[in-house]
Amino acid sequence: MPLTETEWDLVTTWVQSYLLDTTDPHAQLAQYDFPQDFIGGLPLTHVSADNARALVRTSRADIQRQLRLVEALTRVDRLAVLPDIVKAQEFLERLREDARAHTAQDTFRTCVLKNGTEAFIDRQDLRETLRRFIADPDKFVLLVDGEPGSGRSYTYNFLRHIGQHSGFRPVRVTLSRTSTAAKVVRRLADFVADPGAGTAPLNPTELNDLLPSIDEAAHWVAGRATAVEERLWLVLDECDKLDPSSDVWDFIGQLAMAIYEHAAVRGDQAPRLVLLGYGRSMRQLPYDLRGNICWDTARAAEPQDLRAFFDQAFHETPAPSLGSGGFRETSIAELVDVAVEEVLHASATGGAESEGYMRRVCTAAEGAIRVYQSL
């Protein structure tokens, strides 16, 4: 299970207080078996807070680096005697589980995410689309269409899972009818600006000529996202909520073109753009991007999708109480039937009215998974 942003903030605090609270950070990292070429690439200074942010930011690039960092923290004597060591060891075990899954499983086929409790049901087309999208350097815009409640926003959960295993991090801005290009730029700046320099995004509202200012803002975002250590995917969610006259539409087109131009120079280090809830009838992206786009259409899970989900989930982690052999297979088949029936009933009758259908389905499925794990 990947660490959350809040948990990475805690790791950064530990690194600053216990690992890099030293006048010689290079020697300290070498003492904890960080490779010399890795240490040499870090912008280390005499400021421990800046060094901690740089080390964590660079370590988040892939699972093995994350694992190495947290392993080192659990070996620091000053942390080992504090109550926080329990949390650090928990983080380490979660990252080890992620590393094992990365090695042993096809992560594009994973059906239960986040420490074995978060359901990701069906979306077989999305799984294969993402596999091709990641492998093709010429594809860098992913558009996800579908009816409201079909699970378009739920795509972001899977992107976080895949990113942990494929070396990128998705960052999301959720749009609304009141969204403006200036607000979106400021939100993206929180993700792409240099933490040590503070955020100073170009503000389109301060310029008289709107479209050129949006173009500059888009290039600023794409340039900063390309320059950061980690590979970023910029996710704009609920595009269908935008007002038809919103200047965010102009920004989306300009941002896609800016990424196109940065990708021509920086290749895979340039960010990728994911637009959730972006229908085929909405404003078209620039013509030059026609060869760089992948489409996926979300659809609500049906009973056969639920059956396949539970069959896979229950077989991948069979409950010890089910025994083995033919008895286990019969028991799993019966439990799958019960789980499907219960989820369909709960998703039809439970949950808040404001929740989409797929959210209710996933909530009910996660409850069934927890019951199964307790057997």
Side-chain angles (χ1 to χ4, degrees), residues 120-125 144-152 154-155 296-306 343-344 347 356-362:
F120 192 79
I121 301 167
D122 191 43
R123 301 299 292 277
Q124 302 305 319
D125 290 342
V144 179
D145 191 9
E147 294 296 322
S150 62
R152 298 168 310 187
Y154 159 70
T155 303
D296 176 69
T297 300
R299 64 173 182 81
E302 298 178 352
Q304 63 267 28
D305 302 318
L306 287 171
V343 168
L344 290 174
S347 60
Y357 174 73
M358 280 304 298
R359 180 167 296 181
R360 297 198 302 273
V361 167
C362 289

Side-chain angles (χ1 to χ4, degrees), residues 161-225:
H161 165 74
I162 291 298
Q164 173 77 351
H165 298 277
S166 299
F168 69 87
R169 183 162 69 96
V171 294
R172 177 170 64 171
V173 175
T174 301
L175 306 175
S176 70
R177 192 168 183 81
T178 60
S179 293
T180 64
K183 290 179 181 178
V184 175
V185 171
R186 283 196 294 269
R187 187 63 59 82
L188 288 172
D190 292 338
F191 297 119
V192 304
D194 182 351
T199 61
L202 184 63
N203 185 348
T205 63
E206 294 178 351
L207 301 178
N208 293 325
D209 195 356
L210 183 61
L211 290 180
S213 69
I214 289 180
D215 175 62
E216 291 294 326
H219 275 274
W220 183 89
V221 169
R224 288 303 311 152

Side-chain angles (χ1 to χ4, degrees), residues 47-106:
V47 181
S48 61
D50 292 345
N51 293 341
R53 285 192 292 267
L55 177 59
V56 172
R57 186 168 62 247
T58 304
S59 295
R60 291 183 64 177
D62 62 52
I63 294 176
Q64 294 305 321
R65 288 185 181 185
Q66 294 173 24
L67 194 57
R68 182 175 62 207
L69 173 61
V70 179
E71 281 178 338
L73 279 171
T74 61
R75 291 160 45 205
V76 177
D77 291 340
R78 293 171 61 196
L79 180 59
V81 298
L82 298 176
D84 275 356
I85 190 62
V86 176
K87 181 66 70 174
Q89 290 168 341
E90 176 198 327
F91 291 175
L92 178 59
E93 185 52 40
R94 281 164 51 187
L95 291 174
R96 283 174 172 165
E97 183 60 34
D98 268 358
R100 286 192 290 268
H102 179 68
T103 302
Q105 299 176 7
D106 179 355

Side-chain angles (χ1 to χ4, degrees), residues 117-167:
T117 58
E118 182 182 30
F120 192 79
I121 301 167
D122 191 43
R123 301 299 292 277
Q124 302 305 319
D125 290 342
L126 172 69
R127 296 169 189 269
E128 295 309 313
T129 296
L130 277 174
R131 193 194 300 273
R132 295 191 300 270
F133 185 68
I134 290 171
D136 188 344
D138 293 325
K139 303 292 186 185
F140 50 80
V141 181
L142 175 64
L143 307 179
V144 179
D145 191 9
E147 294 296 322
S150 62
R152 298 168 310 187
S153 297
Y154 159 70
T155 303
Y156 177 69
N157 297 351
F158 195 65
L159 293 181
R160 290 190 61 180
H161 165 74
I162 291 298
Q164 173 77 351
H165 298 277
S166 299

